[in-house]
Amino acid sequence: MALSQEYTCNQYTYPNAYIKAHIGNATVEETVVIVYVWPTQQDRLGERPPIYTTSRVFPTDFNMAASNPIEYVYGLLKSSEEFQDAIDILE
């Protein structure tokens, strides 16, 4: 799974950025999500390194329905204003 949306970083806007996420750390109180950004999905598939890496901290949400941790982490991202318009990419 991944996300796609317009994303601005390094003073440049990528109209179809490809965004992958991983859980960096999770506790009862908060979940740290590591976000990796490529200009496009083709850049990711071409094994180019991400152009930007950052992390976001969310309150852990035990009420969020998810069948696995990957679905949960993307649900957290999409619940934020920054990623609310992102499109899901199934791999």
Coordinates of all heavy atoms in Angstrom, one line a residue:
M1 N 0.8 -1.2 0.0 CA 0.0 0.0 0.0 C 0.9 1.2 0.0 O 2.0 1.2 0.5 CB -0.9 0.0 1.2 CG -1.8 1.2 1.3 SD -3.1 1.0 2.6 CE -4.3 2.0 2.0
A2 N 0.4 2.3 -0.6 CA 1.0 3.6 -0.6 C 0.0 4.7 -0.9 O -1.2 4.4 -1.0 CB 2.1 3.6 -1.7
L3 N 0.4 5.9 -0.9 CA -0.5 7.0 -1.2 C 0.1 7.8 -2.3 O 1.3 7.8 -2.5 CB -0.6 7.9 0.1 CG -1.2 7.3 1.3 CD1 -1.1 8.3 2.5 CD2 -2.6 6.8 1.1
S4 N -0.8 8.6 -3.0 CA -0.3 9.5 -4.0 C -1.1 10.8 -3.8 O -2.3 10.8 -3.6 CB -0.6 8.9 -5.4 OG -0.2 9.9 -6.4
Q5 N -0.4 11.9 -3.9 CA -1.0 13.2 -3.8 C 0.0 14.3 -4.2 O 1.2 14.0 -4.3 CB -1.5 13.5 -2.4 CG -0.4 13.8 -1.4 CD -1.0 14.3 -0.1 OE1 -2.1 13.9 0.3 NE2 -0.3 15.2 0.6
E6 N -0.4 15.5 -4.4 CA 0.5 16.6 -4.6 C 1.2 16.8 -3.3 O 0.6 16.8 -2.2 CB -0.2 17.9 -5.0 CG 0.7 19.0 -5.3 CD -0.1 20.3 -5.7 OE1 -0.4 20.3 -6.9 OE2 -0.4 21.1 -4.8
Y7 N 2.6 17.0 -3.3 CA 3.3 17.1 -2.1 C 4.5 18.1 -2.3 O 5.2 18.0 -3.3 CB 3.9 15.8 -1.7 CG 4.4 15.7 -0.2 CD1 3.5 15.6 0.8 CD2 5.7 15.9 0.1 CE1 4.0 15.6 2.1 CE2 6.2 15.9 1.4 CZ 5.3 15.7 2.4 OH 5.8 15.7 3.7
T8 N 4.6 19.0 -1.4 CA 5.7 20.0 -1.5 C 6.8 19.7 -0.5 O 6.5 19.6 0.7 CB 5.1 21.4 -1.3 OG1 4.1 21.7 -2.3 CG2 6.2 22.5 -1.5
C9 N 8.0 19.6 -1.0 CA 9.1 19.5 -0.1 C 10.4 20.0 -0.8 O 10.4 20.0 -2.1 CB 9.3 18.0 0.4 SG 9.6 16.8 -0.9
N10 N 11.4 20.3 -0.1 CA 12.6 20.8 -0.7 C 12.4 22.0 -1.7 O 13.0 22.0 -2.7 CB 13.4 19.7 -1.4 CG 13.7 18.5 -0.4 OD1 13.9 18.8 0.8 ND2 13.7 17.3 -0.9
Q11 N 11.4 22.8 -1.4 CA 11.0 24.0 -2.2 C 10.5 23.6 -3.6 O 10.7 24.4 -4.6 CB 12.2 24.9 -2.3 CG 12.6 25.4 -0.9 CD 13.8 26.4 -0.9 OE1 14.5 26.5 -1.9 NE2 14.0 27.0 0.2
Y12 N 10.0 22.4 -3.8 CA 9.5 22.0 -5.1 C 8.2 21.2 -4.8 O 8.0 20.5 -3.8 CB 10.5 21.1 -5.8 CG 10.0 20.7 -7.2 CD1 10.2 21.6 -8.2 CD2 9.4 19.5 -7.5 CE1 9.8 21.3 -9.5 CE2 9.0 19.2 -8.8 CZ 9.2 20.1 -9.8 OH 8.8 19.8 -11.0
T13 N 7.2 21.4 -5.7 CA 5.9 20.7 -5.6 C 5.9 19.5 -6.6 O 6.1 19.7 -7.8 CB 4.8 21.6 -5.8 OG1 4.8 22.6 -4.9 CG2 3.4 20.9 -5.8
Y14 N 5.7 18.3 -6.1 CA 5.6 17.1 -6.9 C 4.1 16.8 -7.1 O 3.4 16.5 -6.1 CB 6.3 16.0 -6.2 CG 7.7 16.3 -6.0 CD1 8.2 16.8 -4.8 CD2 8.7 16.0 -7.0 CE1 9.5 17.1 -4.6 CE2 10.0 16.3 -6.8 CZ 10.4 16.9 -5.6 OH 11.7 17.2 -5.4
P15 N 3.5 16.9 -8.3 CA 2.1 16.8 -8.5 C 1.6 15.4 -8.2 O 0.4 15.2 -7.9 CB 1.9 17.2 -10.0 CG 3.2 17.1 -10.6 CD 4.2 17.3 -9.5
N16 N 2.4 14.3 -8.4 CA 1.9 13.0 -8.2 C 2.9 12.2 -7.3 O 3.4 11.1 -7.6 CB 1.8 12.2 -9.5 CG 0.7 12.8 -10.4 OD1 -0.4 13.0 -10.0 ND2 1.1 13.2 -11.6
A17 N 3.2 12.8 -6.2 CA 4.2 12.2 -5.3 C 3.7 10.8 -4.8 O 2.5 10.6 -4.6 CB 4.5 13.1 -4.1
Y18 N 4.7 10.0 -4.6 CA 4.4 8.6 -4.2 C 4.9 8.5 -2.7 O 6.1 8.8 -2.5 CB 5.2 7.6 -5.1 CG 4.9 6.2 -4.8 CD1 3.7 5.5 -5.2 CD2 5.9 5.4 -4.1 CE1 3.5 4.2 -4.9 CE2 5.7 4.1 -3.9 CZ 4.5 3.5 -4.3 OH 4.3 2.1 -4.0
I19 N 4.0 8.1 -1.8 CA 4.3 8.2 -0.4 C 4.1 6.9 0.3 O 3.1 6.2 0.2 CB 3.4 9.2 0.3 CG1 3.6 10.6 -0.4 CG2 3.6 9.3 1.8 CD1 2.4 11.6 -0.3
K20 N 5.2 6.4 0.9 CA 5.2 5.2 1.6 C 5.3 5.5 3.1 O 5.9 6.5 3.5 CB 6.4 4.3 1.3 CG 6.3 3.7 -0.1 CD 5.3 2.6 -0.3 CE 5.8 1.3 0.3 NZ 4.9 0.2 0.2
A21 N 4.8 4.7 4.0 CA 4.8 4.9 5.4 C 5.1 3.7 6.2 O 4.7 2.6 5.7 CB 3.5 5.6 5.9
H22 N 5.8 3.8 7.3 CA 6.1 2.7 8.2 C 5.9 3.2 9.6 O 6.1 4.4 9.9 CB 7.6 2.2 8.0 CG 7.9 1.8 6.7 ND1 7.6 0.5 6.3 CD2 8.5 2.4 5.6 CE1 8.0 0.4 5.0 NE2 8.5 1.5 4.6
I23 N 5.6 2.3 10.5 CA 5.5 2.6 11.9 C 6.9 2.7 12.5 O 7.7 1.7 12.4 CB 4.7 1.6 12.7 CG1 3.2 1.6 12.3 CG2 4.8 1.9 14.2 CD1 2.3 0.6 12.9
G24 N 7.3 3.8 13.0 CA 8.6 4.0 13.6 C 8.6 3.5 15.0 O 9.6 2.9 15.5
N25 N 7.6 3.8 15.7 CA 7.4 3.4 17.1 C 6.0 3.6 17.5 O 5.3 4.5 17.0 CB 8.3 4.4 18.0 CG 8.3 3.9 19.4 OD1 8.4 2.7 19.7 ND2 8.4 4.8 20.4
A26 N 5.5 2.7 18.4 CA 4.1 2.8 18.8 C 4.0 2.5 20.3 O 4.6 1.5 20.8 CB 3.2 1.8 18.0
T27 N 3.3 3.4 21.0 CA 3.0 3.1 22.4 C 1.5 3.3 22.6 O 0.8 3.6 21.7 CB 3.8 4.1 23.3 OG1 3.3 5.5 23.1 CG2 5.3 4.1 23.1
V28 N 1.1 3.1 23.8 CA -0.3 3.3 24.1 C -0.7 4.8 23.9 O -1.9 5.0 23.4 CB -0.6 2.9 25.6 CG1 -2.0 3.3 26.0 CG2 -0.4 1.5 25.8
E29 N 0.2 5.7 24.1 CA -0.1 7.1 23.9 C 0.0 7.6 22.5 O -0.8 8.5 22.1 CB 0.8 8.0 24.8 CG 0.5 7.8 26.3 CD 1.3 6.6 26.9 OE1 2.3 6.2 26.3 OE2 0.8 6.0 27.9
E30 N 1.1 7.2 21.8 CA 1.3 7.8 20.5 C 1.9 6.8 19.5 O 2.6 5.8 19.9 CB 2.2 9.0 20.6 CG 3.6 8.7 21.1 CD 4.4 10.0 21.3 OE1 3.9 11.1 21.4 OE2 5.7 9.9 21.3
T31 N 1.7 7.1 18.2 CA 2.3 6.3 17.2 C 3.1 7.2 16.3 O 2.6 8.2 15.8 CB 1.2 5.6 16.3 OG1 0.4 4.8 17.2 CG2 1.8 4.8 15.2
V32 N 4.4 6.8 16.1 CA 5.3 7.6 15.2 C 5.3 6.9 13.8 O 5.5 5.7 13.7 CB 6.7 7.7 15.7 CG1 7.6 8.4 14.8 CG2 6.7 8.3 17.1
V33 N 5.0 7.7 12.8 CA 4.9 7.2 11.4 C 6.1 7.9 10.6 O 6.2 9.1 10.6 CB 3.6 7.6 10.8 CG1 3.5 7.1 9.3 CG2 2.4 7.0 11.5
I34 N 6.9 7.0 10.0 CA 8.0 7.5 9.2 C 7.4 7.5 7.7 O 6.8 6.6 7.2 CB 9.2 6.5 9.2 CG1 9.5 6.3 10.7 CG2 10.3 7.0 8.4 CD1 10.8 6.4 11.2
V35 N 7.6 8.7 7.1 CA 7.0 8.9 5.8 C 8.2 9.1 4.8 O 9.1 9.9 5.0 CB 6.2 10.2 5.8 CG1 5.6 10.5 4.4 CG2 5.0 10.1 6.8
Y36 N 8.1 8.4 3.7 CA 9.1 8.4 2.6 C 8.4 9.0 1.3 O 7.3 8.5 1.0 CB 9.7 7.1 2.3 CG 10.3 6.4 3.5 CD1 9.6 5.6 4.3 CD2 11.6 6.6 3.8 CE1 10.1 5.0 5.4 CE2 12.2 6.0 4.9 CZ 11.5 5.2 5.7 OH 12.0 4.6 6.8
V37 N 9.0 9.9 0.6 CA 8.4 10.5 -0.5 C 9.3 10.4 -1.8 O 10.5 10.7 -1.7 CB 8.1 12.0 -0.3 CG1 7.5 12.7 -1.5 CG2 7.3 12.2 1.0
W38 N 8.7 9.9 -2.9 CA 9.3 9.9 -4.2 C 8.6 10.8 -5.1 O 7.4 11.0 -4.9 CB 9.3 8.5 -4.7 CG 10.2 7.5 -4.1 CD1 11.5 7.2 -4.5 CD2 10.0 6.7 -2.9 NE1 12.1 6.2 -3.7 CE2 11.2 5.9 -2.7 CE3 9.0 6.6 -2.0 CZ2 11.3 5.1 -1.6 CZ3 9.1 5.8 -0.9 CH2 10.3 5.0 -0.7
P39 N 9.2 11.3 -6.2 CA 8.5 12.2 -7.1 C 7.3 11.4 -7.8 O 6.2 12.0 -8.0 CB 9.5 12.6 -8.1 CG 10.8 12.4 -7.5 CD 10.6 11.3 -6.5
T40 N 7.5 10.2 -8.1 CA 6.4 9.4 -8.7 C 6.6 7.9 -8.3 O 7.6 7.5 -7.7 CB 6.6 9.4 -10.3 OG1 7.8 8.7 -10.6 CG2 6.6 10.8 -10.8
Q41 N 5.6 7.1 -8.6 CA 5.6 5.7 -8.3 C 6.7 5.0 -9.1 O 7.4 4.1 -8.7 CB 4.3 5.0 -8.6 CG 4.3 3.6 -8.3 CD 2.9 2.9 -8.5 OE1 2.0 3.5 -9.1 NE2 2.7 1.7 -8.0
Q42 N 7.0 5.5 -10.3 CA 8.0 4.9 -11.2 C 9.4 5.1 -10.6 O 10.3 4.2 -10.7 CB 8.0 5.5 -12.6 CG 6.8 5.1 -13.4 CD 5.5 5.8 -13.0 OE1 5.5 6.9 -12.3 NE2 4.3 5.2 -13.3
D43 N 9.6 6.2 -9.9 CA 10.9 6.4 -9.2 C 11.1 5.4 -8.1 O 12.1 4.9 -7.9 CB 10.9 7.8 -8.6 CG 11.1 8.9 -9.7 OD1 12.1 8.8 -10.4 OD2 10.2 9.8 -9.7
R44 N 10.0 5.1 -7.4 CA 10.1 4.1 -6.3 C 10.3 2.7 -6.9 O 11.2 2.0 -6.4 CB 8.8 4.1 -5.5 CG 8.5 2.9 -4.6 CD 9.4 2.9 -3.4 NE 8.9 1.9 -2.5 CZ 9.7 0.9 -2.0 NH1 10.9 0.8 -2.3 NH2 9.1 0.1 -1.1
L45 N 9.6 2.4 -8.0 CA 9.8 1.1 -8.6 C 11.1 0.9 -9.2 O 11.7 -0.2 -9.3 CB 8.7 0.8 -9.6 CG 7.2 0.7 -9.0 CD1 6.2 0.6 -10.2 CD2 7.1 -0.4 -8.1
G46 N 11.7 2.1 -9.6 CA 13.1 2.1 -10.2 C 14.2 2.0 -9.2 O 15.3 2.2 -9.5
E47 N 13.7 1.8 -7.9 CA 14.7 1.7 -6.8 C 15.5 2.9 -6.6 O 16.6 2.9 -6.0 CB 15.5 0.4 -6.9 CG 14.7 -0.8 -6.9 CD 15.5 -2.1 -6.9 OE1 16.7 -2.0 -6.7 OE2 14.9 -3.1 -7.1
R48 N 15.0 4.1 -7.0 CA 15.7 5.3 -6.6 C 15.4 5.7 -5.1 O 14.4 5.3 -4.6 CB 15.2 6.5 -7.5 CG 15.5 6.3 -9.0 CD 15.3 7.5 -9.7 NE 15.8 7.4 -11.1 CZ 15.0 7.3 -12.2 NH1 13.7 7.4 -12.0 NH2 15.5 7.2 -13.3
P49 N 16.4 6.4 -4.5 CA 16.1 6.7 -3.1 C 15.0 7.7 -2.9 O 14.8 8.5 -3.9 CB 17.5 7.2 -2.6 CG 18.1 7.7 -3.9 CD 17.6 6.8 -5.0
P50 N 14.4 7.8 -1.8 CA 13.3 8.8 -1.6 C 14.0 10.2 -1.6 O 15.1 10.4 -1.3 CB 12.7 8.5 -0.3 CG 13.7 7.6 0.4 CD 14.5 6.9 -0.6
I51 N 13.2 11.2 -2.1 CA 13.7 12.5 -2.1 C 13.5 13.2 -0.8 O 14.1 14.3 -0.5 CB 13.0 13.4 -3.2 CG1 11.5 13.3 -3.0 CG2 13.4 12.9 -4.6 CD1 10.7 14.3 -3.8
Y52 N 12.7 12.6 0.1 CA 12.4 13.3 1.4 C 11.9 12.2 2.3 O 11.2 11.3 2.0 CB 11.3 14.3 1.1 CG 10.9 15.1 2.3 CD1 11.8 16.1 2.8 CD2 9.7 15.0 3.0 CE1 11.5 16.9 3.9 CE2 9.4 15.8 4.1 CZ 10.3 16.7 4.5 OH 10.0 17.5 5.6
T53 N 12.4 12.3 3.6 CA 11.9 11.4 4.6 C 11.6 12.3 5.8 O 12.4 13.2 6.2 CB 13.0 10.4 5.0 OG1 13.4 9.7 3.8 CG2 12.6 9.5 6.1
T54 N 10.5 12.0 6.5 CA 10.1 12.8 7.7 C 9.3 11.9 8.6 O 9.1 10.7 8.2 CB 9.3 14.0 7.2 OG1 9.1 14.8 8.4 CG2 8.0 13.6 6.6
S55 N 8.9 12.4 9.7 CA 8.1 11.6 10.6 C 7.0 12.4 11.1 O 7.1 13.7 11.2 CB 8.9 11.0 11.8 OG 9.4 12.0 12.6
R56 N 5.9 11.8 11.5 CA 4.7 12.4 12.0 C 4.3 11.6 13.3 O 4.4 10.4 13.3 CB 3.5 12.4 11.1 CG 3.8 13.2 9.8 CD 3.9 14.7 10.0 NE 4.0 15.4 8.8 CZ 5.2 15.8 8.2 NH1 6.3 15.4 8.8 NH2 5.2 16.5 7.1
V57 N 3.9 12.3 14.3 CA 3.4 11.7 15.6 C 1.9 11.9 15.7 O 1.4 13.0 15.6 CB 4.2 12.3 16.8 CG1 3.7 11.7 18.1 CG2 5.7 12.2 16.6
F58 N 1.2 10.8 15.9 CA -0.2 10.8 16.1 C -0.6 10.1 17.4 O 0.1 9.2 17.9 CB -0.9 9.9 15.0 CG -0.6 10.4 13.6 CD1 0.4 9.9 12.8 CD2 -1.5 11.4 13.0 CE1 0.6 10.4 11.5 CE2 -1.2 11.9 11.8 CZ -0.2 11.4 11.0
P59 N -1.7 10.6 18.0 CA -2.2 9.9 19.2 C -2.6 8.5 18.7 O -3.2 8.3 17.7 CB -3.4 10.7 19.6 CG -3.3 12.0 19.0 CD -2.5 11.8 17.7
T60 N -2.2 7.5 19.5 CA -2.7 6.1 19.2 C -4.2 6.0 19.3 O -4.8 6.5 20.2 CB -2.0 5.1 20.1 OG1 -0.6 5.2 19.9 CG2 -2.4 3.7 19.8
D61 N -4.8 5.5 18.2 CA -6.3 5.4 18.2 C -6.7 4.0 18.2 O -6.7 3.3 17.2 CB -6.7 6.1 16.9 CG -8.2 6.2 16.8 OD1 -9.0 5.6 17.6 OD2 -8.7 7.0 15.9
F62 N -7.2 3.5 19.3 CA -7.6 2.1 19.5 C -9.0 1.9 18.8 O -9.4 0.8 18.7 CB -7.6 1.7 20.9 CG -6.3 1.6 21.5 CD1 -5.8 2.6 22.4 CD2 -5.4 0.5 21.2 CE1 -4.5 2.5 22.9 CE2 -4.1 0.4 21.7 CZ -3.7 1.4 22.6
N63 N -9.7 3.0 18.5 CA -11.0 2.8 17.9 C -10.9 2.8 16.4 O -12.0 2.5 15.7 CB -11.9 4.0 18.3 CG -12.1 4.0 19.8 OD1 -12.4 3.0 20.4 ND2 -12.0 5.1 20.4
M64 N -9.8 3.0 15.8 CA -9.6 3.0 14.3 C -9.6 1.5 13.9 O -8.8 0.7 14.3 CB -8.3 3.7 13.9 CG -8.2 3.7 12.4 SD -6.7 4.6 11.9 CE -7.1 6.3 12.3
A65 N -10.6 1.2 13.0 CA -10.6 -0.2 12.5 C -9.6 -0.4 11.5 O -9.4 0.4 10.5 CB -12.0 -0.4 11.9
A66 N -8.8 -1.5 11.7 CA -7.8 -1.8 10.7 C -7.5 -3.3 10.8 O -7.4 -3.9 11.9 CB -6.5 -1.1 10.9
S67 N -7.3 -4.0 9.7 CA -7.1 -5.4 9.7 C -5.7 -5.8 9.9 O -5.3 -6.9 10.2 CB -7.6 -6.1 8.4 OG -7.0 -5.5 7.3
N68 N -4.8 -4.8 9.8 CA -3.3 -5.1 10.0 C -2.6 -3.7 10.3 O -3.2 -2.7 10.1 CB -2.7 -5.8 8.8 CG -2.8 -5.0 7.5 OD1 -2.3 -3.9 7.5 ND2 -3.5 -5.5 6.5
P69 N -1.4 -3.8 10.8 CA -0.6 -2.5 11.1 C -0.4 -1.6 9.9 O -0.4 -0.4 10.0 CB 0.7 -3.0 11.6 CG 0.5 -4.5 12.0 CD -0.6 -5.0 11.1
I70 N -0.3 -2.2 8.7 CA 0.0 -1.3 7.5 C -1.3 -0.5 7.2 O -1.2 0.7 7.0 CB 0.4 -2.2 6.3 CG1 1.7 -2.9 6.6 CG2 0.4 -1.4 5.0 CD1 2.1 -3.9 5.6
E71 N -2.4 -1.1 7.2 CA -3.7 -0.4 7.0 C -3.9 0.6 8.1 O -4.3 1.8 7.8 CB -4.8 -1.4 7.1 CG -6.2 -0.8 6.8 CD -7.3 -1.8 6.8 OE1 -7.1 -3.0 6.6 OE2 -8.4 -1.4 7.2
Y72 N -3.5 0.3 9.3 CA -3.6 1.3 10.5 C -2.8 2.5 10.2 O -3.2 3.7 10.4 CB -3.2 0.6 11.8 CG -3.2 1.5 13.0 CD1 -4.4 2.0 13.5 CD2 -2.0 2.0 13.5 CE1 -4.4 2.8 14.6 CE2 -2.0 2.8 14.6 CZ -3.2 3.3 15.1 OH -3.2 4.1 16.2
V73 N -1.5 2.3 9.8 CA -0.6 3.5 9.7 C -1.1 4.4 8.5 O -1.0 5.6 8.7 CB 0.9 3.0 9.4 CG1 1.1 2.5 8.1 CG2 1.8 4.2 9.7
Y74 N -1.6 3.8 7.5 CA -2.1 4.7 6.4 C -3.4 5.3 6.8 O -3.7 6.5 6.4 CB -2.3 3.9 5.1 CG -0.9 3.7 4.4 CD1 -0.3 2.4 4.5 CD2 -0.3 4.7 3.7 CE1 1.0 2.2 4.0 CE2 0.9 4.5 3.1 CZ 1.6 3.3 3.3 OH 2.8 3.1 2.7
G75 N -4.2 4.7 7.6 CA -5.4 5.3 8.2 C -5.1 6.5 9.0 O -5.8 7.5 9.0
L76 N -4.0 6.4 9.8 CA -3.6 7.5 10.6 C -3.2 8.7 9.7 O -3.6 9.8 10.0 CB -2.4 7.1 11.5 CG -2.7 6.3 12.8 CD1 -1.4 6.0 13.5 CD2 -3.6 7.1 13.7
L77 N -2.4 8.4 8.7 CA -2.0 9.5 7.8 C -3.2 10.1 7.2 O -3.3 11.4 7.1 CB -1.1 8.9 6.7 CG 0.4 8.7 7.1 CD1 1.1 8.2 5.8 CD2 1.1 9.9 7.6
K78 N -4.1 9.3 6.7 CA -5.3 9.9 6.0 C -6.2 10.6 6.9 O -7.0 11.4 6.5 CB -6.0 8.8 5.2 CG -5.1 8.4 4.0 CD -5.8 7.5 3.0 CE -6.8 8.3 2.3 NZ -7.5 7.6 1.2
S79 N -6.1 10.4 8.2 CA -6.9 11.1 9.2 C -6.4 12.5 9.4 O -7.1 13.3 10.1 CB -7.1 10.3 10.5 OG -5.8 10.3 11.2
S80 N -5.2 12.8 9.0 CA -4.6 14.1 9.2 C -5.0 15.0 8.0 O -5.2 14.6 6.9 CB -3.1 14.0 9.3 OG -2.5 13.7 8.0
E81 N -4.9 16.3 8.3 CA -5.2 17.3 7.3 C -4.2 17.2 6.1 O -4.6 17.4 5.0 CB -5.2 18.7 7.9 CG -5.7 19.8 7.0 CD -5.8 21.1 7.7 OE1 -6.3 21.2 8.8 OE2 -5.3 22.1 7.1
E82 N -3.0 17.0 6.5 CA -1.9 16.9 5.4 C -2.2 15.9 4.4 O -1.8 16.1 3.2 CB -0.6 16.7 6.1 CG 0.6 16.6 5.2 CD 1.9 16.4 5.9 OE1 1.9 16.0 7.1 OE2 2.9 16.6 5.3
F83 N -2.7 14.7 4.7 CA -2.9 13.6 3.8 C -4.3 13.2 3.6 O -4.6 12.2 3.0 CB -2.1 12.4 4.3 CG -0.6 12.6 4.4 CD1 0.0 12.9 5.6 CD2 0.1 12.5 3.2 CE1 1.4 13.1 5.6 CE2 1.5 12.7 3.3 CZ 2.1 13.0 4.5
Q84 N -5.3 14.1 4.0 CA -6.7 13.7 3.9 C -7.2 13.5 2.4 O -8.1 12.8 2.2 CB -7.6 14.7 4.6 CG -7.6 16.1 3.9 CD -8.4 17.1 4.8 OE1 -8.9 16.7 5.8 NE2 -8.5 18.3 4.3
D85 N -6.5 14.1 1.5 CA -7.0 14.0 0.1 C -6.1 13.0 -0.7 O -6.3 12.9 -2.0 CB -6.9 15.4 -0.6 CG -7.9 16.4 0.0 OD1 -9.0 15.9 0.4 OD2 -7.6 17.6 0.1
A86 N -5.2 12.3 -0.1 CA -4.4 11.4 -0.7 C -5.2 10.2 -1.3 O -6.2 9.8 -0.7 CB -3.3 10.8 0.2
I87 N -4.7 9.7 -2.4 CA -5.3 8.5 -3.1 C -4.5 7.3 -2.7 O -3.3 7.2 -2.7 CB -5.3 8.7 -4.6 CG1 -6.1 9.9 -5.0 CG2 -5.8 7.5 -5.3 CD1 -5.8 10.4 -6.4
D88 N -5.3 6.2 -2.3 CA -4.7 4.9 -2.0 C -4.1 4.3 -3.2 O -4.7 4.3 -4.3 CB -5.7 4.0 -1.4 CG -6.1 4.4 0.0 OD1 -5.4 5.0 0.7 OD2 -7.3 4.1 0.4
I89 N -2.9 3.7 -3.1 CA -2.3 2.9 -4.2 C -2.1 1.5 -3.6 O -1.3 1.4 -2.7 CB -0.9 3.5 -4.6 CG1 -1.1 5.0 -5.0 CG2 -0.3 2.7 -5.7 CD1 -0.6 5.4 -6.3
L90 N -2.7 0.6 -4.2 CA -2.5 -0.8 -3.8 C -1.4 -1.4 -4.7 O -1.4 -1.3 -5.9 CB -3.8 -1.6 -3.9 CG -5.0 -1.0 -3.1 CD1 -6.3 -1.8 -3.4 CD2 -4.7 -1.0 -1.7
E91 N -0.5 -2.1 -4.0 CA 0.6 -2.7 -4.7 C 0.5 -4.2 -4.9 O -0.1 -4.9 -4.1 CB 1.9 -2.4 -4.0 CG 2.1 -0.9 -3.9 CD 3.4 -0.5 -3.1 OE1 3.6 -1.2 -2.1 OE2 4.0 0.4 -3.5

